[in-house]
Amino acid sequence: MFEGYSWAELGSIFAMQGFAGLSLFSVLVLMALGLAIIFGQMGVINMAHGEFMILGAYVTYLCSNFFAENLPALFSGYFLIAMLLAFLASASLGALVEWGLIRHLYKRPLDTLLATWGLSLILQQVYRSVFGAREVGVTLPDWLMGSFAVTDMIEIPINGVFVMFLTLGITAGVWLWNFRSSWGTQMRAVVQNRVMAGAVGIDTERIDRLTFAIGCGIAGIAGSAFTMIGSTGPTSGQLYIVDTFLVVVFGGAQSLLGTIFSAFAISQSQSTMEFFLSGSMAKVLTLLTVVTILMIRPQGLMSLRVRA
Amino acid sequence: MLDSRPSDYMLNVEGLTVSFDGFKAVDDLSFYVDEEEIRVIIGPNGAGKTTVLDLICGRTRASAGQVWFRDQELTRLKEHEIVRTGVGRKFQNPTIYEDLTVFENLEISYPSGRTVFGALGFKKTRAVIDRIEEIAETIFLADCLHHVSGALSHGQKQWLEIGMLLIQDPALLMLDEPVAGMSPSERIRTAELLQTITRGRSVLVIEHDMAFVENIAHRVTVLHQGRILAEGSMDKIKSDPRVVEVYLGH
Amino acid sequence: MSSPTSRAFATRGEILAFATLAVLLLAVLPASMEIFRLNLFGKYLTYAFVAIGLVLCWGYGGILSLGQGVFFGLGGYCLAMFLKLEASDPEATKIQSTPGIPDFMDWNQLTELPWFWVPFESLGFALVAVVLVPTLFAGLIAFAMFKRRVGGVYFAIITQSIAAILTILIIGQQGLTGGVNGITDLRTLKGWDIRTDEAKLVLYYVNAFLLLGALVFCHWVLGTKFGRILVAMRTREDRVRFSGYDVASFKIFVFCLAAALSAIGGAMFTLQVGFMSPSFVGIVPSIEMVIFAAVGGRLSLLGAVYGTLLVNWAKTTFSETMPELWLLAMGGLFIAVVLFFPNGLAGLWQSFRQPLMHAIRRHAPAGSVVADAAPEGGTR
């Protein structure tokens, strides 16, 4: 597939597509972080995770409209506020869902898959009723538009770089929260031994709810980032759920570093191949590679050996 | 490394080692069990007793060492292959099929029709039914053959699991705390049960109940921190000052 | 089989329930609706193959596959390829730039039949492929996963990913697969026009008999020791290993069996509906097929058939009149079934029937009642 390109051209193409893939990378990392936190904590796969992301995207859209109409002077700063609101909206919905649904199903992970799928259908319909079936787009403030021209062939989109730094910041925050805060310690204690954690006075139910809420909240932020790479529709989230699962499983469910690495590998290979092949074949090849690797090495890229 | 059977014992455990994240749960362990011997393994919590059984039956993979059972080296085999060589394992918590009846539990454990198509074509012949009824009699469950086993008492579940092993007719029987959680009267019946079922086979038992151990053991192995602290008859063990210090002294 | 401890092939209640379904499918439905509606029910019944496969592998074996659409689709595509080739003879396609190949290939500038299409000119090959291709594919997936002891949520996700990949692949490779429209405009089977009312009636009956046969076969499987090992594996996989069974090979078999059933359903779908498209392969149809089994009762073969009919009938009825409500209802159904009726319609029926039976059998020995209740005892 590389015939007809010189080495210099190939180098530029890889660099360009690499930067173009940054936004996808960011969305995948943020989605996968949320999913992995929830999966690691409760062994629950949240099939409605994409819909939590889309909630964040709609919140960002509403913010963009609100600022454009009422506070045009502050428009350049709306994106940061939108992200905060997206986090809060998705996290609140997450807490509600944990309370109403998930906590009844902790011992039945397969049933949780089905129930959260049901939830995703309901959310999609709600979005359709509220925001309409048509996809909506967000106007970006000026400072996020455009790109740096590094060489005459390589251009880097500013919004992609912005979202990537944001993602790395949030990832670092999650890492600190997980390994340095007492809350994170309690959470890991619950993961290791739920009964014992309860016995030493950790309120496991509260930890579960907060963890689920935070996982969903991060998906909300992913939704904000998502508005930069695509337009938002009621079913947009569903398109990302399989990719996100694969990122989590491929990276090794317990490994933060693995998640980042696998999100990077998947988004970059897809973005690069898209230049040479059709988008659908790029996706097929990427996913097929991941699934094949998972069949050979089901524990993912990074994992611990634990006493049986 | 040894490539052939190292001695005439029924079970040879040679240099068995396993480590989890650098921690050696079982460390260069060697011991030997005779035909028709009842061997009891004792030791404080965390000594590696259950891990030894896990290693022998293939539930945990050894980092180093070998386990020879008659002419077979077990550490390379899969669990079901080890079972088919004649090793039976009872778990610490009664592990039975709680959705199925006592009869069905025993039927599944019956050692034929173990492949997919074998199981599809398996016939409950008179011989099978007789054998199941005989075992049920032995384990005091003849009256509840058609009860769902989840409804049995804790002690009865322990017996059922012993029965499930028995019907496999293993040459080596491994029991992890067979009387744990039993009432005193159930303990006495279990001791009798073990006396009858151990005839003609070797038994490896983990147990904490010292009265029970004295009652059944031919020889005792004391484990401590993944190594053997002492080995011999119960009398010898009881008088060993190191054993008293780490274990019996508590 | 005369001893008191061996279960007969079917109890009287089971025979009665089966006969009721047979009468419903073979007499009541054909007599009570015109051919258009009957054809619609025939289409629903093709999904029932998938649902009873899921009862075996998910309900009994505890293996949740979110990719059954893959096998349904592969089975359907295998037959559709044969039918399409028959519909694309040079005479019928003489206006194409390359006559004799399927129309969508011509539109995509293909000038000869791709190699993997060639053997599908033979009906015998196509019929074998209908069952074999999906089953072997399922075997490959199951072998890779179960030999490495991957199960539960991981297995569900991997199967779902495969459904997604296959859909994208089919849609992307328009010239080879017909793309998003699928393989359409199928006309005759060995010269027999499958679009006539008469053919639709015949195909409905073929489908119904195949389904009843599949039910009998699955009932037999569940009645053997294999069936009890499935239940045992679901709760105590380790113990089954230490009873001397190779757990992986049992899982592989049941997953392949479910795939083969789905494939037969897919092929019958192609025949009755007259096309096959990627919209029956992907994530959404695959997980909907799970809900058919769940609504009917994941531990009940007959329940799965009723569940499939009910959900699909409701879907057709509601999505015609109020599509917004239908998605909400579908979502609610997933949640309600999982939270409140984990054993579905069959579980409800059981709890309704149980007191009745107890009243009838008050004088029977207690032990036999317990034993009869056992197969339904597993709740998960």
Side-chain angles (χ1 to χ4, degrees), chain A residues 79-116:
Chain A
F79 203 79
L80 298 172
I81 295 168
M83 280 193 315
L84 190 67
L85 290 178
F87 175 83
L88 289 177
S90 294
S92 320
L93 183 61
L96 191 69
V97 166
E98 201 280 341
W99 174 78
L101 185 62
I102 308 291
R103 71 189 169 109
H104 305 290
L105 297 171
Y106 277 130
K107 296 231 163 88
R108 293 149 62 190
L110 294 181
D111 283 1
T112 317
L113 279 182
L114 299 180
T116 49

mmCIF file of all heavy atoms in Angstrom, chain A residues 79-116:
data_model
loop_
_atom_site.group_PDB
_atom_site.id
_atom_site.type_symbol
_atom_site.label_atom_id
_atom_site.label_comp_id
_atom_site.label_asym_id
_atom_site.label_seq_id
_atom_site.Cartn_x
_atom_site.Cartn_y
_atom_site.Cartn_z
ATOM 1 N N PHE A 79 -15.331 26.537 26.564
ATOM 2 C CA PHE A 79 -15.042 25.108 26.458
ATOM 3 C C PHE A 79 -14.661 24.511 27.813
ATOM 4 O O PHE A 79 -15.051 23.399 28.140
ATOM 5 C CB PHE A 79 -13.919 24.880 25.441
ATOM 6 C CG PHE A 79 -13.941 23.503 24.898
ATOM 7 C CD1 PHE A 79 -14.842 23.160 23.900
ATOM 8 C CD2 PHE A 79 -13.096 22.535 25.396
ATOM 9 C CE1 PHE A 79 -14.892 21.869 23.415
ATOM 10 C CE2 PHE A 79 -13.136 21.241 24.914
ATOM 11 C CZ PHE A 79 -14.030 20.912 23.919
ATOM 12 N N LEU A 80 -13.928 25.297 28.593
ATOM 13 C CA LEU A 80 -13.511 24.784 29.903
ATOM 14 C C LEU A 80 -14.714 24.594 30.822
ATOM 15 O O LEU A 80 -14.840 23.576 31.521
ATOM 16 C CB LEU A 80 -12.486 25.740 30.526
ATOM 17 C CG LEU A 80 -11.209 25.883 29.695
ATOM 18 C CD1 LEU A 80 -10.323 26.987 30.247
ATOM 19 C CD2 LEU A 80 -10.451 24.565 29.664
ATOM 20 N N ILE A 81 -15.611 25.569 30.787
ATOM 21 C CA ILE A 81 -16.823 25.449 31.606
ATOM 22 C C ILE A 81 -17.661 24.269 31.131
ATOM 23 O O ILE A 81 -18.198 23.500 31.925
ATOM 24 C CB ILE A 81 -17.630 26.772 31.530
ATOM 25 C CG1 ILE A 81 -16.814 27.885 32.168
ATOM 26 C CG2 ILE A 81 -18.967 26.614 32.216
ATOM 27 C CD1 ILE A 81 -17.336 29.258 31.919
ATOM 28 N N ALA A 82 -17.721 24.126 29.802
ATOM 29 C CA ALA A 82 -18.507 23.031 29.241
ATOM 30 C C ALA A 82 -17.973 21.693 29.728
ATOM 31 O O ALA A 82 -18.745 20.787 30.085
ATOM 32 C CB ALA A 82 -18.477 23.091 27.718
ATOM 33 N N MET A 83 -16.658 21.545 29.791
ATOM 34 C CA MET A 83 -16.088 20.282 30.238
ATOM 35 C C MET A 83 -16.463 19.990 31.680
ATOM 36 O O MET A 83 -16.793 18.857 32.047
ATOM 37 C CB MET A 83 -14.563 20.321 30.102
ATOM 38 C CG MET A 83 -14.104 20.072 28.685
ATOM 39 S SD MET A 83 -12.360 19.756 28.613
ATOM 40 C CE MET A 83 -11.730 21.013 29.653
ATOM 41 N N LEU A 84 -16.410 21.016 32.489
ATOM 42 C CA LEU A 84 -16.764 20.839 33.899
ATOM 43 C C LEU A 84 -18.216 20.401 34.021
ATOM 44 O O LEU A 84 -18.552 19.448 34.746
ATOM 45 C CB LEU A 84 -16.537 22.162 34.646
ATOM 46 C CG LEU A 84 -16.645 22.056 36.156
ATOM 47 C CD1 LEU A 84 -15.507 21.218 36.697
ATOM 48 C CD2 LEU A 84 -16.613 23.454 36.783
ATOM 49 N N LEU A 85 -19.084 21.100 33.278
ATOM 50 C CA LEU A 85 -20.507 20.758 33.341
ATOM 51 C C LEU A 85 -20.753 19.353 32.777
ATOM 52 O O LEU A 85 -21.577 18.605 33.298
ATOM 53 C CB LEU A 85 -21.331 21.784 32.566
ATOM 54 C CG LEU A 85 -21.400 23.166 33.225
ATOM 55 C CD1 LEU A 85 -22.201 24.127 32.336
ATOM 56 C CD2 LEU A 85 -22.035 23.069 34.606
ATOM 57 N N ALA A 86 -20.018 19.018 31.714
ATOM 58 C CA ALA A 86 -20.173 17.688 31.128
ATOM 59 C C ALA A 86 -19.815 16.622 32.158
ATOM 60 O O ALA A 86 -20.511 15.613 32.316
ATOM 61 C CB ALA A 86 -19.281 17.542 29.890
ATOM 62 N N PHE A 87 -18.731 16.877 32.882
ATOM 63 C CA PHE A 87 -18.326 15.928 33.918
ATOM 64 C C PHE A 87 -19.430 15.798 34.959
ATOM 65 O O PHE A 87 -19.849 14.689 35.321
ATOM 66 C CB PHE A 87 -17.030 16.409 34.587
ATOM 67 C CG PHE A 87 -16.599 15.556 35.731
ATOM 68 C CD1 PHE A 87 -15.868 14.396 35.503
ATOM 69 C CD2 PHE A 87 -16.938 15.874 37.035
ATOM 70 C CE1 PHE A 87 -15.487 13.574 36.559
ATOM 71 C CE2 PHE A 87 -16.562 15.065 38.092
ATOM 72 C CZ PHE A 87 -15.838 13.912 37.852
ATOM 73 N N LEU A 88 -19.936 16.940 35.429
ATOM 74 C CA LEU A 88 -20.938 16.895 36.498
ATOM 75 C C LEU A 88 -22.211 16.199 36.029
ATOM 76 O O LEU A 88 -22.784 15.380 36.752
ATOM 77 C CB LEU A 88 -21.256 18.316 36.966
ATOM 78 C CG LEU A 88 -20.123 18.982 37.755
ATOM 79 C CD1 LEU A 88 -20.493 20.414 38.116
ATOM 80 C CD2 LEU A 88 -19.804 18.178 39.015
ATOM 81 N N ALA A 89 -22.634 16.506 34.803
ATOM 82 C CA ALA A 89 -23.884 15.911 34.308
ATOM 83 C C ALA A 89 -23.742 14.397 34.210
ATOM 84 O O ALA A 89 -24.588 13.647 34.729
ATOM 85 C CB ALA A 89 -24.220 16.501 32.933
ATOM 86 N N SER A 90 -22.666 13.929 33.586
ATOM 87 C CA SER A 90 -22.510 12.489 33.408
ATOM 88 C C SER A 90 -22.289 11.791 34.749
ATOM 89 O O SER A 90 -22.794 10.691 34.982
ATOM 90 C CB SER A 90 -21.337 12.183 32.475
ATOM 91 O OG SER A 90 -21.636 12.652 31.184
ATOM 92 N N ALA A 91 -21.548 12.454 35.637
ATOM 93 C CA ALA A 91 -21.293 11.836 36.941
ATOM 94 C C ALA A 91 -22.592 11.707 37.740
ATOM 95 O O ALA A 91 -22.839 10.691 38.383
ATOM 96 C CB ALA A 91 -20.263 12.646 37.713
ATOM 97 N N SER A 92 -23.440 12.751 37.681
ATOM 98 C CA SER A 92 -24.693 12.678 38.438
ATOM 99 C C SER A 92 -25.567 11.553 37.887
ATOM 100 O O SER A 92 -26.136 10.760 38.643
ATOM 101 C CB SER A 92 -25.482 13.984 38.351
ATOM 102 O OG SER A 92 -24.624 15.077 38.434
ATOM 103 N N LEU A 93 -25.654 11.491 36.569
ATOM 104 C CA LEU A 93 -26.459 10.430 35.974
ATOM 105 C C LEU A 93 -25.871 9.065 36.361
ATOM 106 O O LEU A 93 -26.603 8.120 36.675
ATOM 107 C CB LEU A 93 -26.491 10.592 34.452
ATOM 108 C CG LEU A 93 -27.374 9.578 33.721
ATOM 109 C CD1 LEU A 93 -28.820 9.710 34.161
ATOM 110 C CD2 LEU A 93 -27.262 9.736 32.218
ATOM 111 N N GLY A 94 -24.542 8.989 36.370
ATOM 112 C CA GLY A 94 -23.874 7.742 36.749
ATOM 113 C C GLY A 94 -24.232 7.318 38.159
ATOM 114 O O GLY A 94 -24.553 6.149 38.414
ATOM 115 N N ALA A 95 -24.203 8.275 39.086
ATOM 116 C CA ALA A 95 -24.535 7.942 40.474
ATOM 117 C C ALA A 95 -25.966 7.430 40.565
ATOM 118 O O ALA A 95 -26.263 6.449 41.259
ATOM 119 C CB ALA A 95 -24.355 9.175 41.357
ATOM 120 N N LEU A 96 -26.839 8.084 39.821
ATOM 121 C CA LEU A 96 -28.243 7.675 39.823
ATOM 122 C C LEU A 96 -28.400 6.255 39.288
ATOM 123 O O LEU A 96 -29.116 5.424 39.867
ATOM 124 C CB LEU A 96 -29.030 8.662 38.951
ATOM 125 C CG LEU A 96 -30.552 8.578 39.025
ATOM 126 C CD1 LEU A 96 -31.017 9.059 40.382
ATOM 127 C CD2 LEU A 96 -31.179 9.415 37.911
ATOM 128 N N VAL A 97 -27.702 5.976 38.203
ATOM 129 C CA VAL A 97 -27.804 4.653 37.579
ATOM 130 C C VAL A 97 -27.235 3.571 38.507
ATOM 131 O O VAL A 97 -27.802 2.490 38.650
ATOM 132 C CB VAL A 97 -27.065 4.646 36.223
ATOM 133 C CG1 VAL A 97 -26.851 3.232 35.719
ATOM 134 C CG2 VAL A 97 -27.841 5.465 35.210
ATOM 135 N N GLU A 98 -26.132 3.903 39.172
ATOM 136 C CA GLU A 98 -25.548 2.934 40.098
ATOM 137 C C GLU A 98 -26.556 2.608 41.188
ATOM 138 O O GLU A 98 -26.758 1.449 41.539
ATOM 139 C CB GLU A 98 -24.270 3.508 40.702
ATOM 140 C CG GLU A 98 -23.315 2.479 41.263
ATOM 141 C CD GLU A 98 -23.688 1.966 42.640
ATOM 142 O OE1 GLU A 98 -24.467 2.631 43.355
ATOM 143 O OE2 GLU A 98 -23.196 0.892 43.016
ATOM 144 N N TRP A 99 -27.199 3.639 41.690
ATOM 145 C CA TRP A 99 -28.142 3.453 42.788
ATOM 146 C C TRP A 99 -29.382 2.665 42.324
ATOM 147 O O TRP A 99 -29.851 1.768 42.992
ATOM 148 C CB TRP A 99 -28.554 4.824 43.339
ATOM 149 C CG TRP A 99 -29.630 4.744 44.371
ATOM 150 C CD1 TRP A 99 -29.478 4.385 45.683
ATOM 151 C CD2 TRP A 99 -31.019 5.002 44.180
ATOM 152 N NE1 TRP A 99 -30.680 4.406 46.302
ATOM 153 C CE2 TRP A 99 -31.651 4.778 45.417
ATOM 154 C CE3 TRP A 99 -31.796 5.392 43.078
ATOM 155 C CZ2 TRP A 99 -33.030 4.927 45.582
ATOM 156 C CZ3 TRP A 99 -33.165 5.547 43.244
ATOM 157 C CH2 TRP A 99 -33.769 5.315 44.500
ATOM 158 N N GLY A 100 -29.860 3.005 41.148
ATOM 159 C CA GLY A 100 -31.118 2.409 40.708
ATOM 160 C C GLY A 100 -30.956 1.055 40.050
ATOM 161 O O GLY A 100 -31.885 0.256 40.023
ATOM 162 N N LEU A 101 -29.773 0.781 39.497
ATOM 163 C CA LEU A 101 -29.657 -0.404 38.647
ATOM 164 C C LEU A 101 -28.458 -1.280 39.015
ATOM 165 O O LEU A 101 -28.604 -2.441 39.414
ATOM 166 C CB LEU A 101 -29.533 0.080 37.188
ATOM 167 C CG LEU A 101 -29.517 -0.981 36.097
ATOM 168 C CD1 LEU A 101 -30.819 -1.745 36.104
ATOM 169 C CD2 LEU A 101 -29.309 -0.311 34.742
ATOM 170 N N ILE A 102 -27.276 -0.681 38.902
ATOM 171 C CA ILE A 102 -26.056 -1.487 38.973
ATOM 172 C C ILE A 102 -25.912 -2.214 40.302
ATOM 173 O O ILE A 102 -25.525 -3.382 40.358
ATOM 174 C CB ILE A 102 -24.814 -0.600 38.742
ATOM 175 C CG1 ILE A 102 -24.964 0.218 37.474
ATOM 176 C CG2 ILE A 102 -23.553 -1.443 38.694
ATOM 177 C CD1 ILE A 102 -24.921 -0.570 36.219
ATOM 178 N N ARG A 103 -26.234 -1.536 41.399
ATOM 179 C CA ARG A 103 -25.940 -2.154 42.695
ATOM 180 C C ARG A 103 -26.780 -3.405 42.935
ATOM 181 O O ARG A 103 -26.453 -4.202 43.801
ATOM 182 C CB ARG A 103 -26.133 -1.145 43.828
ATOM 183 C CG ARG A 103 -27.571 -0.782 44.105
ATOM 184 C CD ARG A 103 -27.640 0.383 45.075
ATOM 185 N NE ARG A 103 -28.997 0.882 45.130
ATOM 186 C CZ ARG A 103 -29.790 0.717 46.200
ATOM 187 N NH1 ARG A 103 -29.353 0.121 47.260
ATOM 188 N NH2 ARG A 103 -31.016 1.189 46.171
ATOM 189 N N HIS A 104 -27.842 -3.558 42.177
ATOM 190 C CA HIS A 104 -28.635 -4.783 42.351
ATOM 191 C C HIS A 104 -28.041 -5.965 41.601
ATOM 192 O O HIS A 104 -28.541 -7.073 41.702
ATOM 193 C CB HIS A 104 -30.065 -4.552 41.853
ATOM 194 C CG HIS A 104 -30.727 -3.381 42.509
ATOM 195 N ND1 HIS A 104 -31.095 -3.387 43.829
ATOM 196 C CD2 HIS A 104 -31.052 -2.147 42.041
ATOM 197 C CE1 HIS A 104 -31.636 -2.222 44.154
ATOM 198 N NE2 HIS A 104 -31.616 -1.447 43.077
ATOM 199 N N LEU A 105 -27.028 -5.703 40.818
ATOM 200 C CA LEU A 105 -26.551 -6.737 39.886
ATOM 201 C C LEU A 105 -25.084 -7.084 40.080
ATOM 202 O O LEU A 105 -24.472 -7.684 39.204
ATOM 203 C CB LEU A 105 -26.754 -6.246 38.441
ATOM 204 C CG LEU A 105 -28.197 -6.011 38.015
ATOM 205 C CD1 LEU A 105 -28.238 -5.333 36.651
ATOM 206 C CD2 LEU A 105 -28.961 -7.313 37.951
ATOM 207 N N TYR A 106 -24.503 -6.735 41.241
ATOM 208 C CA TYR A 106 -23.059 -6.905 41.362
ATOM 209 C C TYR A 106 -22.574 -8.331 41.184
ATOM 210 O O TYR A 106 -21.483 -8.558 40.705
ATOM 211 C CB TYR A 106 -22.550 -6.355 42.696
ATOM 212 C CG TYR A 106 -22.335 -4.888 42.609
ATOM 213 C CD1 TYR A 106 -22.849 -4.012 43.542
ATOM 214 C CD2 TYR A 106 -21.649 -4.363 41.528
ATOM 215 C CE1 TYR A 106 -22.671 -2.655 43.423
ATOM 216 C CE2 TYR A 106 -21.476 -3.004 41.395
ATOM 217 C CZ TYR A 106 -21.988 -2.159 42.342
ATOM 218 O OH TYR A 106 -21.818 -0.816 42.199
ATOM 219 N N LYS A 107 -23.382 -9.296 41.549
ATOM 220 C CA LYS A 107 -22.902 -10.676 41.435
ATOM 221 C C LYS A 107 -23.205 -11.272 40.066
ATOM 222 O O LYS A 107 -22.968 -12.444 39.828
ATOM 223 C CB LYS A 107 -23.554 -11.530 42.537
ATOM 224 C CG LYS A 107 -23.135 -11.074 43.929
ATOM 225 C CD LYS A 107 -22.623 -12.233 44.764
ATOM 226 C CE LYS A 107 -21.836 -11.729 45.961
ATOM 227 N NZ LYS A 107 -22.675 -11.478 47.128
ATOM 228 N N ARG A 108 -23.789 -10.483 39.178
ATOM 229 C CA ARG A 108 -24.208 -11.033 37.876
ATOM 230 C C ARG A 108 -23.662 -10.172 36.736
ATOM 231 O O ARG A 108 -24.410 -9.445 36.082
ATOM 232 C CB ARG A 108 -25.736 -11.066 37.814
ATOM 233 C CG ARG A 108 -26.347 -12.067 38.794
ATOM 234 C CD ARG A 108 -27.702 -11.610 39.286
ATOM 235 N NE ARG A 108 -28.688 -11.478 38.242
ATOM 236 C CZ ARG A 108 -29.880 -10.908 38.413
ATOM 237 N NH1 ARG A 108 -30.216 -10.401 39.582
ATOM 238 N NH2 ARG A 108 -30.720 -10.835 37.400
ATOM 239 N N PRO A 109 -22.376 -10.259 36.472
ATOM 240 C CA PRO A 109 -21.768 -9.360 35.470
ATOM 241 C C PRO A 109 -22.390 -9.476 34.086
ATOM 242 O O PRO A 109 -22.555 -8.467 33.388
ATOM 243 C CB PRO A 109 -20.296 -9.784 35.446
ATOM 244 C CG PRO A 109 -20.239 -11.097 36.125
ATOM 245 C CD PRO A 109 -21.381 -11.148 37.081
ATOM 246 N N LEU A 110 -22.781 -10.692 33.674
ATOM 247 C CA LEU A 110 -23.360 -10.840 32.334
ATOM 248 C C LEU A 110 -24.713 -10.140 32.259
ATOM 249 O O LEU A 110 -25.058 -9.533 31.250
ATOM 250 C CB LEU A 110 -23.502 -12.311 31.967
ATOM 251 C CG LEU A 110 -22.188 -13.069 31.818
ATOM 252 C CD1 LEU A 110 -22.447 -14.512 31.428
ATOM 253 C CD2 LEU A 110 -21.289 -12.412 30.796
ATOM 254 N N ASP A 111 -25.477 -10.231 33.351
ATOM 255 C CA ASP A 111 -26.769 -9.553 33.356
ATOM 256 C C ASP A 111 -26.588 -8.042 33.342
ATOM 257 O O ASP A 111 -27.411 -7.319 32.780
ATOM 258 C CB ASP A 111 -27.573 -9.978 34.592
ATOM 259 C CG ASP A 111 -28.172 -11.354 34.409
ATOM 260 O OD1 ASP A 111 -27.944 -11.951 33.341
ATOM 261 O OD2 ASP A 111 -28.861 -11.835 35.319
ATOM 262 N N THR A 112 -25.513 -7.583 33.966
ATOM 263 C CA THR A 112 -25.258 -6.143 33.948
ATOM 264 C C THR A 112 -25.027 -5.652 32.531
ATOM 265 O O THR A 112 -25.477 -4.571 32.158
ATOM 266 C CB THR A 112 -24.029 -5.806 34.813
ATOM 267 O OG1 THR A 112 -24.112 -6.562 35.999
ATOM 268 C CG2 THR A 112 -23.995 -4.355 35.142
ATOM 269 N N LEU A 113 -24.347 -6.474 31.729
ATOM 270 C CA LEU A 113 -24.165 -6.118 30.315
ATOM 271 C C LEU A 113 -25.516 -5.841 29.673
ATOM 272 O O LEU A 113 -25.698 -4.837 28.987
ATOM 273 C CB LEU A 113 -23.538 -7.290 29.554
ATOM 274 C CG LEU A 113 -22.050 -7.548 29.594
ATOM 275 C CD1 LEU A 113 -21.737 -8.745 28.709
ATOM 276 C CD2 LEU A 113 -21.316 -6.338 29.092
ATOM 277 N N LEU A 114 -26.454 -6.764 29.888
ATOM 278 C CA LEU A 114 -27.761 -6.631 29.232
ATOM 279 C C LEU A 114 -28.528 -5.437 29.776
ATOM 280 O O LEU A 114 -29.136 -4.678 29.018
ATOM 281 C CB LEU A 114 -28.569 -7.912 29.433
ATOM 282 C CG LEU A 114 -27.941 -9.162 28.845
ATOM 283 C CD1 LEU A 114 -28.815 -10.374 29.105
ATOM 284 C CD2 LEU A 114 -27.700 -8.995 27.354
ATOM 285 N N ALA A 115 -28.498 -5.261 31.090
ATOM 286 C CA ALA A 115 -29.256 -4.160 31.682
ATOM 287 C C ALA A 115 -28.712 -2.814 31.225
ATOM 288 O O ALA A 115 -29.474 -1.912 30.870
ATOM 289 C CB ALA A 115 -29.218 -4.256 33.210
ATOM 290 N N THR A 116 -27.375 -2.683 31.185
ATOM 291 C CA THR A 116 -26.821 -1.395 30.759
ATOM 292 C C THR A 116 -27.053 -1.177 29.266
ATOM 293 O O THR A 116 -27.159 -0.045 28.814
ATOM 294 C CB THR A 116 -25.323 -1.274 31.093
ATOM 295 O OG1 THR A 116 -24.650 -2.440 30.645
ATOM 296 C CG2 THR A 116 -25.113 -1.118 32.575
#
